[in-house]
Amino acid sequence: MKQFQYTRAVSQQSTIDAIAKPGTKIIAGGTNLVDLMKRGVTAPDKLVDINNLPLKNITSTKTGLHIGALALNSVVSENSLVLQKQPLLSMALKAGASPQLRNMATVGGNMMQRTRCAYFFDVSMPCNKREPGTGCGAMGGYNRMHAIFGASEQCIAVHPSDMCVGLAALDATVIIAGKKGERRIQFIDFHRLPGDHPEQDNHLAMGEMIIGVDIPDNNFAKNSYYLKIRDRQSYAFALVSVAAALDISNGIIKQARLAMGGVAHKPWRLFDAEKALAGKAATEENFKQAAQIAMRDAKGYEYNSFKIKMAPAVIAEALKHAAGLV
Amino acid sequence: MEDTKHHTEPECEMEAKDNSRRNFIKQSTLLTAIALTPGTAVKAAGMHIDEKIAEAFEKMPLKMEVNGVAHNLSVEPRATLLDILREQLDLTGTKKGCDHGQCGACTVHVDGHRVNSCLTLGVMISGKKITTIEGLAKGDELHPMQEAFLKHDGFQCGYCTPGQIMSAVSCIREGHANSEMEIREYMSGNICRCGAYPNIVNAIQEVKEGGQPV
Amino acid sequence: MKETTTLKKSAQTDGLSRVDGRLKVTGAARYSAEFNIKGLTYGVLVGSTIAKGSIKSLDTKQAERAPGVLTVITHLNSPKVPGYQDGKPTGNGVFKIFYDNKIYFSGQPVALVVADSFERALFGASQVKAQYNQDNHQTNLRANVNTAKAPHGDGTYKRGTEDAWKTAPVKVEQEYIIPSDIHNPMELHAIIAQWDGDDKLTVWDKTQGVQDARDEIAQIFKLKKENVQVNSKFVGGAFGSALRTWPHEVAAIIAAKALNRPVKVVLSRADMFTSVGYRPHTWQKIGIGATADGKLVGITHEAIGQTSTYENFTEGTVGVSQSLYACPNVNTSYKLVALDVGVPTWMRGPGEATGAFALESALDELSYQLNIDPIELRMRNYAQTEPQGGKPFSSKYLDEAYKMGAEHIGWNDRSPKPGTVNENGWLVGYGMGGGMFGAYRDGATVKAIMMADGNLILQTAVSDIGPGTGTAMVSIASEMMGIPAEKIRFDMGESSLPQAPTQGGSSITASVGSAVYAVCKDLKEKFQQLIGNGGTDKPDYAQVLKQHNLAKLQVTSSAQGGDERKKYAMFSWSVHFVRVKVHPATGVIKIDKVACVADSGHIVSPKTARSQIIGGAIGGIGMALMEEVVFDHRYGRIVNNNFADYHVPVNADIPQIDALFVNKPDPYINPMGAKGMGEIALIGMASAVANAVYNATGKRVRDLPITPDKLITMDVELS
Ligand SMILES: Cc1cc2nc3c(=O)[nH]c(=O)nc-3n(C[C@H](O)[C@H](O)[C@H](O)COP(=O)(O)OP(=O)(O)OC[C@H]3O[C@@H](n4cnc5c(N)ncnc54)[C@H](O)[C@@H]3O)c2cc1C
Ligand code: FES
Ligand code: FES
């Protein structure tokens, strides 16, 4: 690891000023950044430790729930407001990483975590995300963990977060602070598809930081579920994961929210499937149909085509759990 | 590190005590005195500038309490808590199994919470209280979890064991030891290649059911 | 061996906790990298990024200039190693590190950067720039099977008629594949090397055999054996990876010499995938046939495993087909494909684990074809004598093991029709698979010292990678001497102690245990001589010493096997039973229940023995469900060289495991009647899991690991 300068942020403003300079990065839990620095994937000149900033709060607002960027993954997952209002988020968080890592990882850091693609991690391999122009190692290589939706010729990596799949399903909003003040962006618009610029994971501009997320109140608490399929029962990234949330009344789905992880460069919202479910009965049959609709634009590669079969099964299963059919 | 201006940057400061601030100024003056253009200490050494200056420039003060003992250290910002414990404090009970947060062998408590010390930069835990496996027993009296691991043979080679025990204590403290399934899930951040898992679960269940304070 | 007396199960030591347990649970146990030696420096290896070719240029200037870097050692400046003479890539059993510019595998060390701290060495290592002349490499076994060659002779074995299975009325012919698996002990391989002058060397080294390591190092550096001290008091697992001396050990010793300072080299987890061996990727084909009433007619077993281009590694993959069942016609062949990869090495249950996966899967397939219960099929072909030569077994209670295991798992609840039992949306299945491993025994010497206070010290140069050797030895001595375990100290893990074999092949309890037994017997005799006629067998030793004004009484004894091995075939046996649940839509597999039964003779140390069986079973579950080294053959490079992508079981994967023992002494193998169990704990487990998955789903996975994606994309096979 290269030497770097370490400073502790004293205020949000000082942070924003500091990160305006290239080569300067925020460090929160460090669970992703330190890992990548050790491998030489990233080598900042300066780290700004933001852990002393007052961004750990989890509060009820008029319209929903606010979670500060520095709230720990473990704390959020066990918070009573979260459990009561948005149990799906708690489930998604608990499905991620390990208890120790969740004790370090922050909400902001989780959103900003980089892909786990092996070619991105190994600096001796080609990777457009790490080093634009070197090619995509995964495209013709070992791509079992990779995207089946929204990939480009430049990159087929997936976003590895579980928490983000939950937030994408729950219509969250990201609150961002920068030189020009605060701005808000829909969670589903925060991460981006790779296109020609896979080095950009999201729409956070240089010099901006995440200060929190808002989740609007909803009627999903009773009928939501996070289902993650992986190679072992815990402490592994998703092959496919699904966040399913239903608002059911008298057996009829008023509204549905569905998002998938492990399938795209960003948490993948399944709008068409959601629409198809609205107004329908909460039955296994309807869930399977919606799952098929969700797969319309899926494209597999040499090692990940199984996801095209796995994903709809996981969607249907997650919906069954959410609806209480399992 | 960059140029000397950074150190007087008002908005984003080092949380440096007077002492170290003076140190910094001293170093800065030294470096200015030998007319170094802004650059890193790496460069300084590359140009065969006194290694001592370069070294002092690269290090930061770190105050922390480990197992009840206060330490005033000087560390490179890139040094992890794990390496500081093992290499500088000779507390080798905390193990390195992967160095990337993937195994849990390095689990310690920071202010009472379990974390992976391999992904924790030492400078980030300034002022905090660390407990390692060496700090769990009270003198000769083992912690109940250590006793239970012995009784249930919760290990073989013993290499993952300090991490397992630190995690196991947290597992109960966090309230995640209410069933076998829950323990298994909440102990999954600690890999044991010897395969002591069922015995570890039994040890934790016994301590939990025994109701002793952990 | 003449003595055939066996030890009784002793209540005193039945539940003996590990004698080194306290050190392990308090963090006081020090492993190889953990000795705080004055002036210690840190070495970090730089690995090749190509799989085959040569180094064109190495730029180490930047690394040398990095703060704290003391030296960068490469083939260009490495001090000559006296034992590396000829031009071959391997010498005295070790791949010659920094010998020339040739590259044989990706990850091969090309430089060692030594600095005054680990951080600085790591950074220095990142500054080494290598350029290569790249040759075409081959890392793909499947694509190169046509180059397979027998390692010795024609690599075949035959009894009876060749390919007789083809003539049988009921038959199965299938291919079975295992990927490469990595030992991945939790402790990273590590060494600290310190020279004392030009001809004396001390190393703290992760090794399963301090004396073998000493001998190898002495040869490589042309030192007198007695001038090389190898210490390995605690070993954080190994499973075979520390059975030999590896290049990084030589590198540390070279650097320590060059710098005249102690050097520590700890491999990274990524290095562990390329530099300390693995279970080789192996393709197998089995043809097996039986009469309609389930009598085996013939077995044909072919195996092709991978090895490196610079050194052959062979193992007993097809041995199980030769010896597990009474079958008149058996022919086997074993070949290797040399690839541009690091050399494999023995990994827990070497060869047999690979072979047993194929054979025990094939037998399961046959059982469905025959419509005969898998246990019944095995019983109908039970070998009463060793099938290869007809020798009697020294002991074999596998039939009892079958019964015990079947009862514990609830085998009666198994449906003989696959895919028919559904519990709340999960398919339930049962499977079993067995294993065998030669019960070996080596010579060993133990020194016993009875101290004036009645404490006993035992000393021998064995190391303990985890099974609890010290605990087992103390158990034996405690029973022999009639003194409590707390009064016995077992010193080991130093090459200067009396001779002991390397810990491998499940032979330590038999080998060192026999020497402990012998030395205790001799020590007691010495006491008898002191006491004179009529003394008790287990006197108050302290008092006797006091009466005779002696500060201590010591004796050194050796033990080794005799010609019992000529008369008897000696094996340990195991059988594993597994109940799985499979979610049909998502392919998720849960191991629901496990019962493992070992026929390991008399169980010397029940508590640690149980753990060893459980550990082996978990290793087998990993092999069955998740472990797999993945190469990107375009680069000849491993793409999952870490614990996040190479999955080993975590706690959530593992249920309670019943570890059971037949616990009947073997009358011939050694005075304790103990046979090994480290290997059989794993051998056969992978097939038990695969067979259970088939029973649950009707899907037969013949290429490990059985991951969810495979299950959901494959069709049900109807038998
Ligand atoms: C072995 C392992 C297994 C894991 N398994 C899973 C899993 O199964 N599921 C899962 O979802 N995750 C998993 N993770 C990833 C883990 O969740 C992330 O590493 C973690 O959430 C990152 O949070 P952090 O606070 O530690 O971020 P850091 O490492 O501190 O930062 C990560 C990035 O975010 C930036 N950043 C941090 N905070 C802000 C902010 N407020 N504004 C702007 N930028 C910011 C940093 O500059 C950095 O670039 C795993 C990680 C490891 C090491
Ligand atoms: S060493 Fe920290 S998790 Fe493995
Ligand atoms: S006891 Fe060896 S790894 Fe857990």
Side-chain angles (χ1 to χ4, degrees):
Chain A
M1 203 194 296
K2 190 180 90 173
Q3 269 290 26
F4 52 85
Q5 188 185 359
Y6 168 84
T7 61
R8 226 165 266 135
V10 291
S11 68
Q12 197 167 298
Q13 193 53 48
S14 76
T15 310
I16 290 165
D17 292 343
I19 59 176
K21 299 189 187 77
T24 300
K25 266 190 186 299
I26 285 174
I27 183 160
T31 60
N32 189 230
L33 188 57
V34 175
D35 188 3
L36 294 173
M37 286 167 68
K38 283 187 182 191
R39 297 169 197 269
V41 173
T42 179
D45 298 320
K46 180 169 170 179
L47 292 187
V48 184
D49 179 347
I50 60 169
N51 282 290
N52 287 341
L53 301 185
L55 297 172
K56 297 193 171 85
N57 48 327
I58 305 172
T59 46
S60 226
T61 65
K62 257 190 238 148
T63 53
L65 196 59
H66 174 80
I67 303 175
L70 285 171
L72 295 177
N73 285 187
S74 55
V75 171
V76 178
S77 73
E78 315 239 318
N79 177 278
S80 55
L81 282 174
V82 173
L83 286 168
Q84 174 208 326
K85 290 187 165 199
Q86 311 295 351
L88 178 60
L89 176 60
S90 169
M91 282 188 253
L93 279 164
K94 286 180 178 174
S98 71
Q100 290 96 309
L101 288 163
R102 298 198 295 269
N103 269 348
M104 304 167 73
T106 63
V107 166
N110 193 315
M111 287 170 59
M112 294 296 290
Q113 67 172 300
R114 315 280 332 252
T115 184
R116 306 298 298 197
C117 171
Y119 300 88
F120 175 75
F121 265 71
D122 183 342
V123 293
S124 75
M125 301 268 208
C127 171
N128 285 329
K129 187 181 270 301
R130 192 187 61 244
E131 236 183 302
T134 53
C136 173
M139 181 71 79
Y142 187 65
N143 44 35
R144 178 166 176 267
M145 299 300 287
H146 290 71
I148 52 170
F149 291 111
S152 75
E153 285 300 304
Q154 306 298 317
C155 179
I156 58 171
V158 299
H159 192 262
S161 168
D162 291 297
M163 177 195 82
C164 292
V165 180
L167 288 175
L170 293 169
D171 301 318
T173 305
V174 187
I175 310 157
I176 292 168
K179 273 244 145 54
K180 290 182 225 139
E182 287 187 12
R183 70 182 176 104
R184 302 169 73 87
I185 174 173
Q186 286 294 304
F187 195 91
I188 44 161
D189 296 329
F190 179 77
H191 295 97
R192 59 186 293 285
L193 290 177
D196 288 335
H197 288 285
E199 73 281 6
Q200 293 168 18
D201 293 348
N202 52 55
H203 292 293
L204 195 72
M206 174 93 186
E208 285 185 323
M209 68 179 289
I210 301 166
I211 57 174
V213 290
D214 279 346
I215 311 172
D217 285 337
N218 56 42
N219 287 326
F220 299 132
K222 261 199 309 200
N223 292 104
S224 54
Y225 198 76
Y226 189 75
L227 182 59
K228 180 178 182 182
I229 307 301
R230 40 190 157 173
D231 285 320
R232 62 182 175 198
Q233 301 299 306
S234 186
Y235 205 8
F237 288 93
L239 294 168
V240 171
S241 70
V242 171
L246 297 171
D247 177 358
I248 304 177
S249 141
N250 297 325
I252 300 298
I253 301 166
K254 285 166 73 182
Q255 279 193 76
R257 293 287 181 275
L258 282 168
M260 248 199 286
V263 294
H265 197 254
K266 59 185 287 189
W268 197 246
R269 245 319 257 276
L270 312 177
F271 289 109
D272 291 346
E274 290 172 10
K275 263 188 227 135
L277 285 170
K280 297 247 173 69
T283 64
E284 181 164 357
E285 195 53 31
N286 287 334
F287 294 158
K288 283 189 170 159
Q289 259 170 28
Q292 284 313 324
I293 291 170
M295 299 310 296
R296 265 182 207 150
D297 299 319
K299 175 175 185 288
Y301 298 86
E302 186 174 358
Y303 295 94
N304 73 350
S305 295
F306 72 89
K307 289 187 181 179
I308 295 175
K309 194 155 178 199
M310 181 180 276
V314 184
I315 295 170
E317 196 62 24
L319 283 166
K320 273 162 66 184
H321 277 277
L325 302 186
V326 184
Chain B
M1 294 227 155
E2 277 149 49
D3 60 357
T4 51
K5 270 180 287 171
H6 276 192
H7 308 303
T8 48
E9 217 171 49
E11 320 88 341
C12 195
E13 320 180 284
M14 310 279 309
E15 191 198 62
K17 289 269 173 321
D18 282 348
N19 226 346
S20 53
R21 192 186 298 273
R22 228 177 293 131
N23 243 337
F24 252 87
I25 294 166
K26 217 163 67 192
Q27 284 152 20
S28 311
T29 336
L30 258 176
L31 288 168
T32 323
I34 46 180
L36 188 74
T37 47
T40 63
V42 178
K43 267 199 203 140
M47 294 160 85
H48 298 292
I49 286 160
D50 188 4
E51 170 72 10
K52 281 257 159 52
I53 303 175
E55 180 172 321
F57 195 64
E58 286 184 337
K59 292 194 174 179
M60 282 185 68
L62 167 61
K63 245 188 175 171
M64 61 176 178
E65 190 183 307
V66 184
N67 302 329
V69 180
H71 291 274
N72 279 305
L73 304 170
S74 168
V75 301
E76 291 184 353
R78 63 184 166 185
T80 61
L81 175 57
L82 174 61
D83 288 326
I84 293 169
L85 290 171
R86 282 171 67 83
E87 306 299 340
Q88 296 195 37
L89 300 179
D90 199 29
L91 289 170
T92 55
T94 306
K95 304 301 182 194
K96 182 184 282 191
C98 70
D99 220 12
H100 290 278
Q102 302 171 348
C103 77
C106 65
T107 305
V108 298
H109 296 172
V110 172
D111 283 349
H113 299 288
R114 51 170 157 169
V115 301
N116 304 83
S117 61
C118 69
L119 292 182
T120 305
L121 296 176
V123 288
M124 291 177 71
I125 44 131
S126 175
K128 300 201 168 165
K129 290 194 168 104
I130 318 299
T131 308
T132 70
I133 189 71
E134 290 95 342
L136 216 51
K138 288 200 187 89
D140 272 351
E141 193 193 325
L142 293 182
H143 184 279
M145 192 60 77
Q146 292 171 315
E147 287 287 3
F149 266 62
L150 276 175
K151 179 175 167 194
H152 291 275
D153 209 31
F155 55 96
Q156 290 196 50
C157 77
Y159 198 80
C160 73
T161 313
Q164 300 280 3
I165 292 176
M166 297 312 285
S167 226
V169 169
S170 290
C171 184
I172 293 183
R173 282 190 195 158
E174 292 163 1
H176 291 138
N178 299 310
S179 69
E180 189 182 326
M181 287 298 278
E182 191 182 22
I183 293 171
R184 280 164 56 182
E185 170 60 29
Y186 279 86
M187 286 302 291
S188 282
N190 293 81
I191 292 176
C192 175
R193 188 59 161 155
C194 293
Y197 298 132
N199 297 352
I200 292 170
V201 172
N202 294 340
I204 296 172
Q205 272 194 311
E206 177 170 296
V207 175
K208 159 87 185 173
E209 278 155 24
Q212 297 120 296
V214 292
Chain C
M1 288 287 324
K2 271 187 232 100
E3 325 122 281
T4 54
T5 39
T6 50
L7 291 166
K8 288 186 275 38
K9 226 171 115 182
S10 152
Q12 192 185 23
T13 55
D14 215 359
L16 185 58
S17 295
R18 280 168 202 269
V19 294
D20 52 2
R22 206 183 159 91
L23 292 175
K24 287 178 175 176
V25 300
T26 55
R30 287 197 185 245
Y31 298 77
S32 294
E34 299 172 349
F35 292 86
N36 186 12
I37 288 160
K38 205 170 164 283
L40 187 63
T41 65
Y42 299 78
V44 170
L45 291 164
V46 180
S48 147
T49 54
I50 65 157
K52 186 181 184 182
S54 58
I55 303 168
K56 187 154 70 183
S57 67
L58 263 174
D59 179 1
T60 58
K61 275 199 206 71
Q62 241 175 310
E64 278 156 9
R65 278 204 215 131
V69 170
L70 302 166
T71 188
V72 180
I73 293 177
T74 70
H75 71 283
L76 296 168
N77 67 352
S78 168
K80 289 284 160 280
V81 177
Y84 288 3
Q85 277 150 355
D86 53 22
K88 291 181 189 147
T90 308
N92 289 313
V94 183
F95 174 76
K96 294 176 182 169
I97 191 167
F98 309 144
Y99 181 62
D100 56 22
N101 67 348
K102 296 206 174 62
I103 299 295
Y104 298 92
F105 60 95
S106 184
Q108 175 185 326
V110 297
L112 178 72
V113 178
V114 187
D116 59 1
S117 79
F118 171 66
E119 293 80 17
R120 292 167 148 205
L122 197 62
F123 175 71
S126 72
Q127 300 304 104
V128 174
K129 303 281 175 275
Q131 290 199 308
Y132 301 95
N133 293 311
Q134 209 170 328
D135 290 343
N136 283 336
H137 59 257
Q138 297 296 333
T139 53
N140 188 341
L141 176 72
R142 299 302 295 281
N144 289 279
V145 281
N146 56 333
T147 67
K149 281 195 199 69
H152 338 271
D154 69 354
T156 62
Y157 164 89
K158 190 177 89 178
R159 71 165 174 262
T161 314
E162 190 163 327
D163 291 343
W165 67 272
K166 289 182 177 162
T167 65
V170 183
K171 54 194 173 234
V172 168
E173 186 185 30
Q174 288 296 349
E175 291 177 17
Y176 303 90
I177 293 154
I178 69 146
S180 292
D181 290 339
I182 305 284
H183 309 70
N184 266 326
M186 289 310 295
E187 183 199 16
L188 300 161
H189 277 243
I191 179 171
I192 299 173
Q194 183 174 37
W195 288 86
D196 175 7
D198 266 349
D199 61 348
K200 273 196 150 154
L201 175 69
T202 303
V203 297
W204 290 262
D205 190 14
K206 180 184 177 96
T207 174
Q208 295 176 238
V210 283
Q211 291 184 331
D212 277 352
R214 173 198 63 194
D215 296 355
E216 279 174 3
I217 291 168
Q219 274 186 22
I220 294 163
F221 290 92
K222 297 262 183 264
L223 297 169
K224 291 197 188 112
K225 275 186 193 179
E226 57 273 25
N227 282 356
V228 178
Q229 173 69 20
V230 179
N231 300 325
S232 200
K233 286 216 171 250
F234 287 94
V235 183
F239 318 106
S241 63
L243 278 171
R244 61 182 296 189
T245 304
W246 294 105
H248 69 274
E249 296 166 71
V250 177
I253 298 169
I254 294 176
K257 180 107 190 197
L259 279 174
N260 200 17
R261 279 178 75 170
V263 173
K264 164 154 96 179
V265 173
V266 181
L267 294 188
S268 67
R269 186 52 67 183
D271 294 335
M272 299 283 287
F273 284 74
T274 54
S275 301
V276 288
Y278 54 93
R279 189 193 300 286
H281 184 18
T282 303
W283 170 94
Q284 300 177 78
K285 189 179 199 176
I286 295 221
I288 187 166
T291 59
D293 61 351
K295 270 289 199 197
L296 288 179
V297 172
I299 304 173
T300 297
H301 187 166
E302 295 169 67
I304 300 177
Q306 81 176 43
T307 187
S308 71
T309 56
Y310 57 91
E311 187 185 337
N312 265 0
F313 168 75
T314 65
E315 55 184 0
T317 309
V318 291
V320 280
S321 289
Q322 297 159 14
S323 301
L324 194 49
Y325 297 108
C327 176
N329 307 298
V330 175
N331 56 297
T332 66
S333 87
Y334 175 65
K335 288 182 181 161
L336 296 177
V337 172
L339 298 173
D340 300 306
V341 296
V343 70
T345 197
W346 303 278
M347 178 167 161
R348 197 170 195 175
E352 279 80 354
T354 305
F357 165 63
L359 178 66
E360 290 291 85
S361 293
L363 220 77
D364 198 64
E365 300 202 34
L366 190 65
S367 77
Y368 286 94
Q369 298 245 336
L370 289 162
N371 206 11
I372 296 177
D373 180 276
I375 302 176
E376 177 57 27
L377 176 61
R378 283 164 176 82
M379 284 311 298
R380 288 189 195 172
N381 296 282
Y382 196 76
Q384 298 290 356
T385 58
E386 206 292 311
Q388 285 192 58
K391 266 194 228 171
F393 291 116
S394 58
S395 65
K396 180 180 179 184
Y397 301 105
L398 185 57
D399 46 353
E400 284 184 41
Y402 288 153
K403 282 199 199 103
M404 287 168 74
E407 194 182 305
H408 268 81
I409 200 76
W411 190 252
N412 284 341
D413 296 335
R414 169 185 179 271
S415 160
K417 253 185 109 55
T420 53
V421 183
N422 191 312
E423 252 176 38
N424 305 320
W426 291 74
L427 296 171
V428 179
Y430 293 79
M432 53 102 49
M436 62 186 294
F437 198 78
Y440 300 107
R441 175 177 173 190
D442 283 312
T445 303
V446 175
K447 181 176 185 175
I449 312 160
M450 184 61 80
M451 305 299 288
D453 56 6
N455 282 328
L456 176 68
I457 301 170
L458 299 169
Q459 299 182 318
T460 184
V462 71
S463 43
D464 179 7
I465 58 174
T469 304
T471 312
M473 297 308 124
V474 168
S475 299
I476 294 170
S478 167
E479 167 133 13
M480 284 293 290
M481 303 300 293
I483 54 178
E486 302 81 65
K487 300 194 84 173
I488 305 173
R489 193 181 89 199
F490 186 74
D491 291 345
M492 56 174 208
E494 291 177 21
S495 60
S496 52
L497 293 171
Q499 180 271 327
T502 286
Q503 185 164 63
S506 306
S507 65
I508 289 299
T509 302
S511 312
V512 182
S514 297
V516 168
Y517 181 93
V519 83
C520 288
K521 209 163 145 257
D522 295 347
L523 186 62
K524 283 203 296 192
E525 249 164 52
K526 271 208 159 181
F527 271 97
Q528 285 306 310
Q529 284 162 15
L530 282 180
I531 302 164
N533 279 342
T536 95
D537 178 50
K538 290 168 183 169
D540 180 337
Y541 303 103
Q543 208 179 341
V544 177
L545 289 177
K546 202 169 163 198
Q547 278 163 3
H548 292 80
N549 218 358
L550 290 171
K552 61 181 178 185
L553 193 59
Q554 74 181 47
V555 54
T556 300
S557 311
S558 302
Q560 64 182 71
D563 43 7
E564 66 276 358
R565 195 161 291 277
K566 289 193 191 129
K567 291 188 224 147
Y568 299 99
M570 298 180 172
F571 291 95
S572 297
W573 314 88
S574 64
V575 60
H576 306 276
F577 288 85
V578 177
R579 182 183 200 261
V580 297
K581 285 184 173 176
V582 181
H583 191 264
T586 57
V588 174
I589 304 165
K590 287 188 182 164
I591 304 286
D592 191 46
K593 209 172 162 190
V594 179
C596 303
V597 196
D599 168 12
S600 295
H602 167 66
I603 302 305
V604 166
S605 173
K607 198 170 184 172
T608 54
R610 192 178 154 268
S611 294
Q612 215 186 346
I613 295 294
I614 293 172
I618 294 172
I621 291 171
M623 179 182 178
L625 296 186
M626 56 193 90
E627 296 188 37
E628 174 179 26
V629 171
V630 180
F631 267 85
D632 184 327
H633 296 300
R634 298 172 305 169
Y635 306 104
R637 198 166 166 83
I638 297 173
V639 289
N640 64 341
N641 58 0
N642 60 74
F643 264 149
D645 297 319
Y646 179 97
H647 297 117
V648 301
V650 294
N651 209 319
D653 294 303
I654 305 301
Q656 290 293 329
I657 291 176
D658 284 342
L660 310 163
F661 300 100
V662 178
N663 200 8
K664 289 192 175 165
D666 184 300
Y668 304 109
I669 185 157
N670 55 45
M672 293 86 57
K675 301 191 282 191
M677 67 177 74
E679 326 293 325
I680 52 161
L682 185 147
I683 299 167
M685 185 65 190
S687 60
V689 174
N691 295 342
V693 168
Y694 177 77
N695 185 246
T697 62
K699 296 180 183 185
R700 178 67 70 180
V701 182
R702 301 185 184 89
D703 58 331
L704 297 181
I706 311 171
T707 45
D709 50 324
K710 287 186 186 162
L711 283 186
I712 59 160
T713 50
M714 90 193 283
D715 296 326
V716 170
E717 279 181 34
L718 294 173
S719 52

